[in-house]
Amino acid sequence: MKATLLDGKTLARQIRQEVAAEVAELVRQGVTPHLSVVIVGDDPASRIYVGSKGKACKKTGIASNTIQLPETTSQKELLEIVGNLNADESVHGILVQLPLPSGIDSDAVVCAIDPSKDVDGFTPENIGKLLLGTPYTVACTPAGIVELLDRNAVPVEGADVVIVGRSNIVGKPLAAILMQKTAGRNCTVTVCHSRTKDIARYTRSADIVVAALGKPCFLKTDMVKPGSVIVDVGINRVEDPSTPKGYRLVGDADFEALSDIASFITPVPGGVGPLTVAMLLKNTVKVARLAKCGQ
Ligand code: GUN
């Protein structure tokens, strides 16, 4: 059996077109959605992600600005900047790129973001709303994963899902989405993590496995059930002297081998990654529309 590829790149393009049409409508009504992105330090991967977020905004008609702060920025300074963005009525959405430098308490910074401008869905209020089944904004990577599954008619309703990775960015919010008592969800979700005694024991019984732990090629064929759905959230750089850059990107799953036994699989790159940005645009338009007219 050769797995069907879940093509995130093409779907992200389609979603961006849908969002662009919504932006054009909002602009006609006198509102240009505006996203402010804050990045602290020089982490190369974060810089690339933030750059692609800014470019995607521009292509979609969303106004965006990036506040680039030095590694030495204090927590107090960062909280002040977030406070100013909260108070600025021309800013609809705020995103503070994670991870933050080690001296800064990320939770304190995320908590400081006005929940109504929280395009990441990371604030306690928005995580709480998601858990209660009344979501406002939903974290972009998990939202992108379910969009990718739904729009490819992957059977999700009632599935046994195993998520490997318990991060606030992916694992926890994805578990909350999939366990909702609502049509197309109703999944039985197991979250495995670094202290799970035997991860393969869980992944082997899953209909859908989500690998989001940040370990290159962690998920192998002997860890999954034939015919299962593999969602790979990992983006890892591995050395490869045969490439011009000296490295290549691989996911958390052994893509080549798993493609022969899975029913559906996401590639890396071009799977989940592009959808994170597309869902950010969607969230930005949502918060801008709600700021304008409460609908
Ligand atoms: N770092 C990795 N993914 C994300 C994300 O979705 N949002 C933010 N703010 N930081 C991230």
Side-chain angles (χ1 to χ4, degrees), residues 3 16 37 49 52 54 61 66 79 94 105 107 113 120 128 140 146 159 162 179-180 186 190-191 218 260 280 288:
R16 286 212 303 263
V37 177
Y49 296 145
S52 64
T66 300
L79 288 172
I94 302 168
D105 176 359
D107 289 344
I113 297 170
D120 268 321
C140 302
V146 291
V162 172
M179 72 167 85
Q180 285 304 322
N186 293 307
T190 304
V191 180
F218 170 84
D260 287 334
L280 169 67

Side-chain angles (χ1 to χ4, degrees), residues 15-173:
I15 292 172
R16 286 212 303 263
Q17 281 168 5
E18 293 164 11
V19 174
E22 285 183 60
V23 172
E25 180 54 35
L26 271 177
V27 170
R28 263 193 294 279
Q29 295 170 19
V31 178
T32 302
H34 181 178
L35 173 67
S36 279
V37 177
V38 182
I39 175 167
V40 186
D42 301 314
D43 178 57
S46 290
R47 275 180 173 248
I48 292 170
Y49 296 145
V50 165
S52 64
K53 286 169 185 176
K55 263 189 231 152
C57 282
K58 199 166 175 193
K59 274 195 195 161
T60 319
I62 293 172
S64 78
N65 68 304
T66 300
I67 301 170
Q68 167 79 58
L69 301 169
E71 184 87 19
T72 51
T73 305
S74 70
Q75 183 169 320
K76 187 163 169 276
E77 286 166 327
L78 182 54
L79 288 172
E80 212 168 286
I81 286 162
V82 170
N84 290 340
L85 294 172
N86 285 342
D88 185 341
E89 281 187 15
S90 74
V91 172
H92 301 109
I94 302 168
L95 181 147
V96 178
Q97 185 67 25
L98 302 175
L100 289 167
S102 53
I104 299 178
D105 176 359
S106 303
D107 289 344
V109 175
V110 168
C111 280
I113 297 170
D114 178 341
S116 71
K117 297 189 178 190
D118 169 23
V119 287
D120 268 321
F122 288 169
T123 57
E125 179 164 328
N126 289 327
I127 286 285
K129 283 184 172 168
L130 174 63
L131 273 171
L132 294 173
T134 53
Y136 173 66
T137 49
V138 176
C140 302
T141 301
I145 291 170
V146 291
E147 198 81 22
L148 188 60
L149 297 174
D150 288 348
R151 293 215 202 187
N152 284 280
V154 175
V156 173
E157 167 82 38
D160 291 341
V161 180
V162 172
I163 302 169
V164 187
R166 56 179 158 182
S167 70
N168 291 346
I169 295 178
V170 182
K172 286 182 200 168

